[in-house]
Amino acid sequence: MSTTHTYRDLFRLDGRRALVIGAGGIGLEAAKALKDHGAHVTCADQDIGTAQSAAEEVAGDPLQLDVTDAAAVRRAAQDLGPLDAVVLTAAMNVRKRILDYSPEEFDRVVSLNLKGTFMVIQQFGAPMVARRSGSIIVFSSIREEVVEPGQSVYAATKAGAVQLVKTAAAEFGEAGVRVNAIAPGVVETSLTHQIKSDPQWYQAYASKSALGRWSVPSELAGAVVFLASDAAGYVTGTSLRVDGGWTAIDGRFTPPTPP
């Protein structure tokens, strides 16, 4: 930390440029938090309407971007120029058991969650390495570690994304570029509507966490700001769990204890 700064400045992002890919839900809250800490934010999404709406909220720039399109990711990295932070939230899940999965569904999930992650790390990491600074933040999931029926391909891609993060951290580290993941638990978003619409399923997930509830997208924003800022200057190659204690708890039963 520079002698001209105080610890109060550790989380400030003034003058820095950030890109958030996947600008709805968690991505929107991440963009708001980055903006409120001083960053200029580009909001990217496959849906240009979502990108534009997010950009308006943070006085940033919209960008239509499909991370499964390697050429488009390459062009975006070139056109945007030097970035200080890149946040990738875009992902998808097809919730089916292994015996019911089709090859086409497998390819769709892997293409976005794994290939897309690789392309973002590769293409946006290259200019960061060249200028010897930057932070890449990939959203993983508790499914990188724990699973349930119907999560096979999604969980495999999230575990794979974490290994990409670790390898990029090892390869980019000597250039001063940090690469990390954030692993949320269950989050109240439009993508979890299927679960929320089933009261028993919804409550089962709520009770699995130590806090006894779901999270909301804004509760992920602090982790993004931390990993993008100088406060995390020595943090790389890790997966930061923001899961309400989900992965800390053994089972869903609270045994009786002696008085």
Side-chain angles (χ1 to χ4, degrees):
M1 183 176 67
S2 169
T3 56
T4 61
H5 291 76
T6 68
Y7 284 115
R8 184 179 57 189
D9 301 310
L10 275 178
F11 294 91
R12 293 301 306 174
L13 300 168
D14 302 282
R16 302 190 192 184
R17 300 180 66 231
L19 169 67
V20 176
I21 304 172
I26 295 170
L28 174 59
E29 297 304 321
K32 289 178 181 178
L34 292 167
K35 182 258 185 184
D36 284 351
H37 283 78
H40 179 83
V41 186
T42 296
C43 300
D45 201 276
Q46 184 177 11
D47 177 65
I48 186 58
T50 299
Q52 290 172 335
S53 176
E56 288 173 5
E57 289 208 43
V58 301
D61 302 314
L63 174 67
Q64 184 172 24
L65 180 61
D66 177 358
V67 297
T68 67
D69 183 340
V73 177
R74 190 176 302 114
R75 285 194 304 271
Q78 294 171 348
D79 293 344
L80 288 174
L83 294 169
D84 299 290
V86 172
V87 182
L88 175 63
T89 74
M92 70 170 295
N93 186 12
V94 174
R95 186 185 288 273
K96 285 187 177 181
R97 290 177 178 254
I98 290 173
L99 299 184
D100 299 323
Y101 235 91
S102 72
E104 293 77 19
E105 289 165 338
F106 179 94
D107 289 344
R108 281 169 49 211
V109 177
V110 171
S111 180
L112 176 56
N113 297 3
L114 196 57
K115 179 184 175 184
T117 298
F118 177 83
M119 293 307 305
V120 167
I121 291 174
Q122 182 189 64
Q123 295 303 315
F124 289 100
M128 287 182 175
V129 169
R131 64 193 288 251
R132 305 187 68 80
S133 68
S135 172
I136 299 173
I137 303 161
V138 172
F139 268 75
S140 177
S141 166
I142 55 171
R143 299 305 173 202
E144 72 187 40
E145 181 180 354
V146 294
V147 301
E148 65 183 4
Q151 297 277 30
S152 61
V153 183
Y154 179 79
T157 60
K158 290 304 183 179
V162 169
Q163 293 302 95
L164 288 175
V165 161
K166 290 180 180 179
T167 307
E171 294 179 358
F172 300 172
E174 21 179 63
V177 176
R178 298 181 295 105
V179 189
N180 292 287
I182 294 174
V186 290
V187 189
E188 298 263 12
T189 71
S190 60
L191 297 179
T192 53
H193 174 74
Q194 178 188 10
I195 302 170
K196 291 189 292 182
S197 64
D198 183 324
Q200 185 176 7
W201 194 355
Y202 180 89
Q203 184 55 39
Y205 273 20
S207 63
K208 177 62 178 73
S209 76
L211 298 178
R213 63 175 178 84
W214 288 47
S215 66
V216 294
S218 60
E219 293 180 297
L220 281 301
V224 173
V225 171
F226 168 63
L227 291 175
S229 73
D230 292 343
Y234 202 63
V235 180
T236 194
T238 193
S239 183
L240 175 58
R241 284 169 176 72
V242 188
D243 66 357
W246 183 296
T247 52
I249 297 175
D250 179 14
R252 300 185 183 183
F253 173 68
T254 302
T257 53

PDB file of all heavy atoms in Angstrom, residues 170-191:
ATOM      1  N   ALA A 170      -1.822 -18.964 -11.583  1.00  0.00           N
ATOM      2  CA  ALA A 170      -0.431 -19.420 -11.597  1.00  0.00           C
ATOM      3  C   ALA A 170       0.335 -18.845 -12.785  1.00  0.00           C
ATOM      4  O   ALA A 170       1.500 -18.459 -12.661  1.00  0.00           O
ATOM      5  CB  ALA A 170      -0.387 -20.945 -11.635  1.00  0.00           C
ATOM      6  N   GLU A 171      -0.326 -18.769 -13.927  1.00  0.00           N
ATOM      7  CA  GLU A 171       0.352 -18.307 -15.140  1.00  0.00           C
ATOM      8  C   GLU A 171       0.460 -16.790 -15.219  1.00  0.00           C
ATOM      9  O   GLU A 171       1.427 -16.262 -15.785  1.00  0.00           O
ATOM     10  CB  GLU A 171      -0.387 -18.849 -16.366  1.00  0.00           C
ATOM     11  CG  GLU A 171      -0.309 -20.355 -16.500  1.00  0.00           C
ATOM     12  CD  GLU A 171      -1.062 -20.910 -17.704  1.00  0.00           C
ATOM     13  OE1 GLU A 171      -1.702 -20.117 -18.437  1.00  0.00           O
ATOM     14  OE2 GLU A 171      -0.999 -22.131 -17.914  1.00  0.00           O
ATOM     15  N   PHE A 172      -0.537 -16.075 -14.672  1.00  0.00           N
ATOM     16  CA  PHE A 172      -0.544 -14.615 -14.770  1.00  0.00           C
ATOM     17  C   PHE A 172       0.092 -13.938 -13.555  1.00  0.00           C
ATOM     18  O   PHE A 172       0.316 -12.732 -13.564  1.00  0.00           O
ATOM     19  CB  PHE A 172      -1.981 -14.088 -14.891  1.00  0.00           C
ATOM     20  CG  PHE A 172      -2.756 -14.585 -16.085  1.00  0.00           C
ATOM     21  CD1 PHE A 172      -4.113 -14.296 -16.196  1.00  0.00           C
ATOM     22  CD2 PHE A 172      -2.170 -15.334 -17.093  1.00  0.00           C
ATOM     23  CE1 PHE A 172      -4.857 -14.740 -17.279  1.00  0.00           C
ATOM     24  CE2 PHE A 172      -2.897 -15.797 -18.187  1.00  0.00           C
ATOM     25  CZ  PHE A 172      -4.252 -15.495 -18.276  1.00  0.00           C
ATOM     26  N   GLY A 173       0.373 -14.718 -12.523  1.00  0.00           N
ATOM     27  CA  GLY A 173       0.817 -14.141 -11.263  1.00  0.00           C
ATOM     28  C   GLY A 173       2.087 -13.334 -11.348  1.00  0.00           C
ATOM     29  O   GLY A 173       2.203 -12.267 -10.733  1.00  0.00           O
ATOM     30  N   GLU A 174       3.077 -13.796 -12.125  1.00  0.00           N
ATOM     31  CA  GLU A 174       4.325 -13.037 -12.177  1.00  0.00           C
ATOM     32  C   GLU A 174       4.144 -11.704 -12.858  1.00  0.00           C
ATOM     33  O   GLU A 174       4.973 -10.801 -12.679  1.00  0.00           O
ATOM     34  CB  GLU A 174       5.473 -13.798 -12.849  1.00  0.00           C
ATOM     35  CG  GLU A 174       5.136 -14.898 -13.751  1.00  0.00           C
ATOM     36  CD  GLU A 174       6.343 -15.563 -14.387  1.00  0.00           C
ATOM     37  OE1 GLU A 174       7.162 -16.131 -13.657  1.00  0.00           O
ATOM     38  OE2 GLU A 174       6.438 -15.552 -15.608  1.00  0.00           O
ATOM     39  N   ALA A 175       3.047 -11.522 -13.577  1.00  0.00           N
ATOM     40  CA  ALA A 175       2.755 -10.224 -14.196  1.00  0.00           C
ATOM     41  C   ALA A 175       1.895  -9.354 -13.281  1.00  0.00           C
ATOM     42  O   ALA A 175       1.504  -8.251 -13.666  1.00  0.00           O
ATOM     43  CB  ALA A 175       2.043 -10.426 -15.528  1.00  0.00           C
ATOM     44  N   GLY A 176       1.583  -9.849 -12.082  1.00  0.00           N
ATOM     45  CA  GLY A 176       0.803  -9.056 -11.148  1.00  0.00           C
ATOM     46  C   GLY A 176      -0.690  -9.089 -11.392  1.00  0.00           C
ATOM     47  O   GLY A 176      -1.440  -8.292 -10.818  1.00  0.00           O
ATOM     48  N   VAL A 177      -1.155 -10.018 -12.239  1.00  0.00           N
ATOM     49  CA  VAL A 177      -2.587 -10.133 -12.539  1.00  0.00           C
ATOM     50  C   VAL A 177      -3.192 -11.191 -11.624  1.00  0.00           C
ATOM     51  O   VAL A 177      -2.680 -12.316 -11.538  1.00  0.00           O
ATOM     52  CB  VAL A 177      -2.817 -10.505 -14.013  1.00  0.00           C
ATOM     53  CG1 VAL A 177      -4.304 -10.711 -14.305  1.00  0.00           C
ATOM     54  CG2 VAL A 177      -2.240  -9.415 -14.919  1.00  0.00           C
ATOM     55  N   ARG A 178      -4.277 -10.842 -10.956  1.00  0.00           N
ATOM     56  CA  ARG A 178      -4.937 -11.748 -10.024  1.00  0.00           C
ATOM     57  C   ARG A 178      -6.187 -12.350 -10.665  1.00  0.00           C
ATOM     58  O   ARG A 178      -6.915 -11.665 -11.377  1.00  0.00           O
ATOM     59  CB  ARG A 178      -5.324 -11.006  -8.746  1.00  0.00           C
ATOM     60  CG  ARG A 178      -4.117 -10.460  -7.997  1.00  0.00           C
ATOM     61  CD  ARG A 178      -4.497  -9.739  -6.718  1.00  0.00           C
ATOM     62  NE  ARG A 178      -5.285  -8.535  -6.970  1.00  0.00           N
ATOM     63  CZ  ARG A 178      -6.582  -8.422  -6.771  1.00  0.00           C
ATOM     64  NH1 ARG A 178      -7.293  -9.458  -6.311  1.00  0.00           N
ATOM     65  NH2 ARG A 178      -7.215  -7.286  -7.005  1.00  0.00           N
ATOM     66  N   VAL A 179      -6.431 -13.630 -10.401  1.00  0.00           N
ATOM     67  CA  VAL A 179      -7.597 -14.337 -10.947  1.00  0.00           C
ATOM     68  C   VAL A 179      -8.234 -15.129  -9.819  1.00  0.00           C
ATOM     69  O   VAL A 179      -7.577 -15.954  -9.175  1.00  0.00           O
ATOM     70  CB  VAL A 179      -7.196 -15.287 -12.096  1.00  0.00           C
ATOM     71  CG1 VAL A 179      -8.450 -15.839 -12.788  1.00  0.00           C
ATOM     72  CG2 VAL A 179      -6.303 -14.573 -13.111  1.00  0.00           C
ATOM     73  N   ASN A 180      -9.515 -14.868  -9.570  1.00  0.00           N
ATOM     74  CA  ASN A 180     -10.223 -15.517  -8.471  1.00  0.00           C
ATOM     75  C   ASN A 180     -11.646 -15.891  -8.881  1.00  0.00           C
ATOM     76  O   ASN A 180     -12.157 -15.423  -9.902  1.00  0.00           O
ATOM     77  CB  ASN A 180     -10.286 -14.574  -7.259  1.00  0.00           C
ATOM     78  CG  ASN A 180      -8.935 -14.335  -6.630  1.00  0.00           C
ATOM     79  OD1 ASN A 180      -8.369 -15.198  -5.967  1.00  0.00           O
ATOM     80  ND2 ASN A 180      -8.388 -13.142  -6.852  1.00  0.00           N
ATOM     81  N   ALA A 181     -12.265 -16.727  -8.051  1.00  0.00           N
ATOM     82  CA  ALA A 181     -13.660 -17.105  -8.260  1.00  0.00           C
ATOM     83  C   ALA A 181     -14.482 -16.709  -7.041  1.00  0.00           C
ATOM     84  O   ALA A 181     -13.955 -16.572  -5.931  1.00  0.00           O
ATOM     85  CB  ALA A 181     -13.780 -18.610  -8.497  1.00  0.00           C
ATOM     86  N   ILE A 182     -15.769 -16.518  -7.263  1.00  0.00           N
ATOM     87  CA  ILE A 182     -16.738 -16.333  -6.183  1.00  0.00           C
ATOM     88  C   ILE A 182     -17.744 -17.468  -6.295  1.00  0.00           C
ATOM     89  O   ILE A 182     -18.285 -17.723  -7.381  1.00  0.00           O
ATOM     90  CB  ILE A 182     -17.458 -14.976  -6.289  1.00  0.00           C
ATOM     91  CG1 ILE A 182     -16.468 -13.829  -6.069  1.00  0.00           C
ATOM     92  CG2 ILE A 182     -18.609 -14.894  -5.274  1.00  0.00           C
ATOM     93  CD1 ILE A 182     -17.072 -12.451  -6.312  1.00  0.00           C
ATOM     94  N   ALA A 183     -17.999 -18.147  -5.191  1.00  0.00           N
ATOM     95  CA  ALA A 183     -18.914 -19.291  -5.187  1.00  0.00           C
ATOM     96  C   ALA A 183     -20.146 -18.976  -4.347  1.00  0.00           C
ATOM     97  O   ALA A 183     -20.119 -19.124  -3.119  1.00  0.00           O
ATOM     98  CB  ALA A 183     -18.212 -20.541  -4.657  1.00  0.00           C
ATOM     99  N   PRO A 184     -21.234 -18.534  -4.985  1.00  0.00           N
ATOM    100  CA  PRO A 184     -22.459 -18.260  -4.226  1.00  0.00           C
ATOM    101  C   PRO A 184     -23.156 -19.555  -3.829  1.00  0.00           C
ATOM    102  O   PRO A 184     -22.929 -20.616  -4.406  1.00  0.00           O
ATOM    103  CB  PRO A 184     -23.326 -17.478  -5.226  1.00  0.00           C
ATOM    104  CG  PRO A 184     -22.440 -17.176  -6.394  1.00  0.00           C
ATOM    105  CD  PRO A 184     -21.366 -18.203  -6.392  1.00  0.00           C
ATOM    106  N   GLY A 185     -24.049 -19.419  -2.852  1.00  0.00           N
ATOM    107  CA  GLY A 185     -24.959 -20.501  -2.533  1.00  0.00           C
ATOM    108  C   GLY A 185     -26.233 -20.310  -3.336  1.00  0.00           C
ATOM    109  O   GLY A 185     -26.179 -20.097  -4.541  1.00  0.00           O
ATOM    110  N   VAL A 186     -27.384 -20.355  -2.684  1.00  0.00           N
ATOM    111  CA  VAL A 186     -28.644 -20.141  -3.395  1.00  0.00           C
ATOM    112  C   VAL A 186     -28.987 -18.656  -3.352  1.00  0.00           C
ATOM    113  O   VAL A 186     -28.931 -18.028  -2.288  1.00  0.00           O
ATOM    114  CB  VAL A 186     -29.780 -20.991  -2.813  1.00  0.00           C
ATOM    115  CG1 VAL A 186     -29.553 -22.457  -3.132  1.00  0.00           C
ATOM    116  CG2 VAL A 186     -29.921 -20.807  -1.308  1.00  0.00           C
ATOM    117  N   VAL A 187     -29.336 -18.112  -4.506  1.00  0.00           N
ATOM    118  CA  VAL A 187     -29.552 -16.669  -4.642  1.00  0.00           C
ATOM    119  C   VAL A 187     -30.928 -16.421  -5.243  1.00  0.00           C
ATOM    120  O   VAL A 187     -31.342 -17.107  -6.186  1.00  0.00           O
ATOM    121  CB  VAL A 187     -28.470 -16.038  -5.545  1.00  0.00           C
ATOM    122  CG1 VAL A 187     -28.576 -14.513  -5.500  1.00  0.00           C
ATOM    123  CG2 VAL A 187     -27.073 -16.487  -5.137  1.00  0.00           C
ATOM    124  N   GLU A 188     -31.615 -15.435  -4.730  1.00  0.00           N
ATOM    125  CA  GLU A 188     -32.937 -15.058  -5.238  1.00  0.00           C
ATOM    126  C   GLU A 188     -32.776 -14.317  -6.569  1.00  0.00           C
ATOM    127  O   GLU A 188     -32.544 -13.110  -6.595  1.00  0.00           O
ATOM    128  CB  GLU A 188     -33.640 -14.146  -4.228  1.00  0.00           C
ATOM    129  CG  GLU A 188     -33.909 -14.785  -2.888  1.00  0.00           C
ATOM    130  CD  GLU A 188     -35.329 -15.320  -2.789  1.00  0.00           C
ATOM    131  OE1 GLU A 188     -36.015 -15.383  -3.832  1.00  0.00           O
ATOM    132  OE2 GLU A 188     -35.743 -15.662  -1.681  1.00  0.00           O
ATOM    133  N   THR A 189     -32.889 -15.028  -7.677  1.00  0.00           N
ATOM    134  CA  THR A 189     -32.844 -14.411  -9.001  1.00  0.00           C
ATOM    135  C   THR A 189     -33.933 -15.032  -9.868  1.00  0.00           C
ATOM    136  O   THR A 189     -34.571 -16.019  -9.495  1.00  0.00           O
ATOM    137  CB  THR A 189     -31.479 -14.623  -9.687  1.00  0.00           C
ATOM    138  OG1 THR A 189     -31.353 -16.005 -10.077  1.00  0.00           O
ATOM    139  CG2 THR A 189     -30.322 -14.244  -8.782  1.00  0.00           C
ATOM    140  N   SER A 190     -34.093 -14.472 -11.059  1.00  0.00           N
ATOM    141  CA  SER A 190     -35.085 -15.017 -11.991  1.00  0.00           C
ATOM    142  C   SER A 190     -34.735 -16.436 -12.418  1.00  0.00           C
ATOM    143  O   SER A 190     -35.607 -17.225 -12.781  1.00  0.00           O
ATOM    144  CB  SER A 190     -35.195 -14.113 -13.222  1.00  0.00           C
ATOM    145  OG  SER A 190     -33.937 -14.017 -13.883  1.00  0.00           O
ATOM    146  N   LEU A 191     -33.459 -16.788 -12.347  1.00  0.00           N
ATOM    147  CA  LEU A 191     -33.020 -18.116 -12.772  1.00  0.00           C
ATOM    148  C   LEU A 191     -33.407 -19.203 -11.771  1.00  0.00           C
ATOM    149  O   LEU A 191     -33.362 -20.385 -12.090  1.00  0.00           O
ATOM    150  CB  LEU A 191     -31.504 -18.120 -12.984  1.00  0.00           C
ATOM    151  CG  LEU A 191     -30.977 -17.192 -14.091  1.00  0.00           C
ATOM    152  CD1 LEU A 191     -29.459 -17.276 -14.176  1.00  0.00           C
ATOM    153  CD2 LEU A 191     -31.597 -17.548 -15.431  1.00  0.00           C
TER     154      LEU A 191
END
